[in-house]
């Protein structure tokens, strides 16, 4: 699960018109490698780690009720009721419905463990832009530019105005965010911090990717500050600003086990990663985010879409290499409905036209700079919210937590990567995804 991790998935050639699907770790995933010094990631205490205290994670507001019974069957029925295809396949298998996939023991027993092995393999998924983006490093710039514009377009009350955005220097200013399945922290570094986040929780289950995040985020911060002050000289205090990663907290934990504090975040961003969720865990994750968001907070899901038509495409395609599923547009909408989410915005990342789009206007220029190739999966972004929870009288967040649903796995603790741990170090949170989800 990484935000920066996967763009169109794996770098191997795909059939014409089909872009690679994204694996568990994505752009948003988390730092990996290059263990950072203490100044970049000081150890977090149980009381100040942004997660529910370990002893309380299964009690009170931290332990919402389990997912609604029969979620998989309800998804099958909802797709059929909409006149949408329900079938799906991998290169070697066919399933008539989503629930048939999740009942398939050959997949259910190893779904998360298989994906974890894929993203822990430094040869297959190195801690680089190319590694987390599945060989599509060239998508980073257009993706980040469009993502920043997408979040700005929502006109959120907590987002700083355009002329006040940038890497925040005031601890009291800015918003609180989470980059889930962050990979090397690409979304944190390229989207959230540049828009003025004062704190970003970088959540990634791959220790090697997470260790690389602080250095990647710092490098992006230095480049952004240099671009903001192009005439600043080497002796003008350019290096006096704290490193960008000092505004981040790093958590080595699987996204299906993440349990943030209630009403603690303004925005949660998960990109190119939800394909690693089973349907039940996807719905449970949405409930977790619901409980974690402050009033007027949003969850942004950005991912590949198998097809936008209700009848012309299959409902899903399974990538057997990294154990991820690419869902159709109707399939996503059914899951969002099941989680009682309001879709504030649903938009597709621009796609390059055969003759390039006109750049005669500012809008045209933006579209050209943000366009993805036409021969990969369509990429959509959704801004989800639960305005029914925005009652300011719910100060403690307990009432919001009633609506949350707990994923099958319990929450592991955070693991901050100070200098690289020994090979056999026990990083809390790692290994959670080895337990099969049924």
């Amino acid at each position: 699960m990484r935000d920066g991790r996967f763009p169109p998935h794996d770098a191997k050639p795909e059939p014409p018109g089909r872009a690679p699907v994204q694996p568990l770790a994505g752009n948003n995933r988390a730092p990996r490698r290059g263990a950072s010094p203490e100044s970049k990631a000081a150890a977090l205490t149980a009381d100040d780690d942004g997660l529910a205290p370990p002893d309380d994670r299964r009690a009170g507001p931290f332990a919402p009720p389990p997912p609604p019974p029969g979620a998989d069957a309800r998804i099958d029925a909802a797709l059929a009721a909409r006149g949408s295809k329900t079938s799906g396949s991998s290169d070697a298998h066919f399933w008539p419905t989503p629930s048939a996939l999740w009942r398939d023991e050959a997949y259910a027993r190893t779904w998360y463990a298989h994906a974890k092995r894929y993203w822990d393999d430094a040869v297959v998924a190195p801690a680089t832009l190319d590694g987390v983006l599945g060989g599509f490093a060239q998508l980073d710039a257009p993706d980040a530019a469009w993502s920043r514009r997408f979040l700005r377009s929502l006109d959120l009350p907590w987002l700083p105005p355009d002329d006040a955005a940038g890497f925040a220097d005031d601890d009291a200013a800015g918003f609180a965010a989470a980059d889930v399945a962050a990979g090397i922290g690409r979304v944190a570094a390229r989207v959230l911090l540049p828009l003025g986040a004062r704190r970003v929780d970088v959540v990634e289950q791959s220790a090697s990717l997470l260790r690389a995040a602080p250095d990647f985020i710092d490098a992006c911060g230095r480049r952004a500050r240099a671009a903001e002050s192009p005439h600043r000289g080497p002796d003008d205090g350019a290096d006096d600003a704290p490193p960008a990663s000092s505004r981040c907290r790093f958590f080595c934990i699987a996204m299906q086990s993440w349990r943030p504090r209630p009403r603690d975040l303004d925005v949660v961003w998960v990109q190119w990663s939800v394909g690693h969720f089973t349907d039940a865990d996807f719905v449970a994750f949405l409930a977790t985010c619901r409980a974690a968001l402050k009033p007027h907070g949003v969850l942004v899901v950005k991912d590949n879409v198998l097809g936008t038509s209700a009848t012309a495409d299959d409902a899903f395609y399974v990538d057997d290499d990294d154990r991820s599923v690419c869902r159709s547009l109707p399939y996503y909408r059914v899951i969002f409905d099941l989680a009682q989410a309001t879709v504030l915005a649903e938009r597709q990342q621009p796609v390059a036209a055969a003759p390039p789009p006109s750049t005669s206007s500012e809008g045209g220029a933006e579209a050209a700079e943000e366009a993805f190739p036409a021969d990969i999966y369509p990429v959509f972004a959704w801004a989800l919210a639960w305005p029914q929870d925005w009652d300011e009288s719910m100060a403690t967040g307990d009432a919001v937590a009633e609506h949350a649903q707990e994923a099958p796995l319990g929450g592991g603790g955070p693991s901050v990567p100070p200098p690289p741990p020994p090979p056999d170090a026990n990083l809390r949170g790692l290994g959670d995804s080895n337990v099969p989800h049924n």
Side-chain angles (χ1 to χ4, degrees):
M1 317 158 146
R2 318 142 199 252
D3 152 58
R5 274 220 200 175
F6 14 135
H9 260 41
D10 64 87
K12 70 181 183 191
E14 293 285 338
R18 173 169 279 172
V21 192
Q22 304 146 24
L24 270 187
N27 287 336
N28 287 356
R29 274 235 189 171
R32 317 181 170 231
R33 262 212 212 208
S36 56
E38 292 181 2
S39 62
K40 293 183 178 176
L44 301 175
T45 67
D47 292 332
D48 190 31
D49 60 7
L51 298 179
D55 292 342
D56 292 339
R57 278 190 197 127
R58 292 186 174 276
F62 302 110
D72 291 344
R74 290 166 67 182
I75 290 171
D76 293 352
L79 284 170
R82 295 179 182 218
S84 300
K85 288 286 189 66
T86 61
S87 60
S89 65
S90 68
D91 287 344
H93 297 84
F94 171 84
W95 300 273
T97 62
S99 63
L101 164 64
W102 307 123
R103 290 195 307 268
D104 187 333
E105 284 297 309
Y107 284 78
R109 287 183 291 102
T110 62
W111 184 260
Y112 288 108
H114 191 118
K116 184 179 186 300
R117 283 197 301 272
Y118 182 95
W119 288 107
D120 282 344
D121 187 331
V123 175
V124 173
T128 63
L129 273 178
D130 215 40
V132 298
L133 292 178
F136 289 83
Q138 71 273 20
L139 297 184
D140 173 60
D143 172 73
W146 187 85
S147 291
R148 291 191 298 268
R149 194 155 63 88
F150 174 76
L151 194 58
R152 264 205 186 296
S153 72
L154 302 177
D155 196 23
L156 298 162
W158 43 262
L159 196 64
D162 194 34
D163 58 1
F167 285 78
D169 293 321
D170 180 359
D171 287 339
F175 57 92
D179 177 0
V180 179
I184 57 174
R186 190 184 68 88
V187 169
R190 306 276 281 118
V191 178
L192 301 172
L193 289 168
L195 286 178
R198 79 172 183 279
R199 187 192 88 215
V200 180
D201 289 348
V202 180
V203 180
E204 170 58 45
Q205 83 166 353
S206 168
S208 61
L209 292 177
L210 190 62
R211 291 190 191 106
D215 288 339
F216 177 80
I217 292 169
D218 287 342
C220 289
R222 288 192 296 270
R223 287 195 296 271
R225 288 190 175 104
E228 291 169 2
S229 306
H231 304 298
R232 189 195 298 267
D235 300 321
D236 293 339
D239 296 326
D240 292 345
S245 66
S246 66
R247 295 196 171 274
C248 299
R249 305 188 301 180
F250 302 102
F251 300 93
C252 193
I253 189 170
M255 61 181 179
Q256 68 270 19
S257 301
W258 180 56
R259 297 293 184 274
R261 292 184 183 278
R263 290 188 164 245
D264 188 48
L265 299 165
D266 295 295
V267 58
V268 176
W269 195 292
V270 56
Q271 180 165 347
W272 283 325
S273 302
V274 297
H276 289 287
F277 278 133
T278 64
D279 286 350
D281 283 351
F282 195 174
V283 174
F285 174 78
L286 296 177
T288 293
C289 294
R290 176 181 182 175
L293 292 172
K294 300 176 184 179
H296 305 287
V298 297
L299 163 64
V300 175
V301 176
K302 189 173 182 181
D303 220 306
N304 294 339
V305 171
L306 181 60
T308 57
S309 165
T311 57
D313 303 293
D314 283 342
F316 60 95
Y317 174 78
V318 175
D319 186 320
D320 282 329
D321 287 343
D322 62 20
R323 277 297 195 277
S324 62
V325 57
C326 187
R327 296 174 172 94
S328 67
L329 191 56
Y331 197 162
Y332 278 107
R333 290 170 176 168
V334 164
I335 288 177
F336 298 154
D337 284 349
L338 194 59
Q340 301 178 325
T342 296
V343 179
L344 301 181
E346 176 187 84
R347 295 177 198 152
Q348 183 178 356
Q349 177 94 25
V351 176
S358 168
T359 58
S360 57
S361 68
E362 183 179 350
E366 286 179 342
E369 292 170 0
E370 298 166 358
F372 275 11
D375 60 348
I376 65 172
Y377 283 131
V379 174
F380 275 68
W382 296 268
L384 307 179
W386 288 265
Q388 61 268 43
D389 297 337
W390 293 354
D391 180 349
E392 299 296 342
S393 68
M394 297 160 60
T396 65
D398 291 359
V400 177
E402 296 175 355
H403 304 291
Q405 305 155 351
E406 185 174 7
L409 294 179
S415 178
V416 179
D424 60 348
N426 178 22
L427 298 178
R428 286 188 297 153
L430 288 179
D432 283 350
S433 60
N434 287 323
V435 180
H437 282 30
N438 297 317

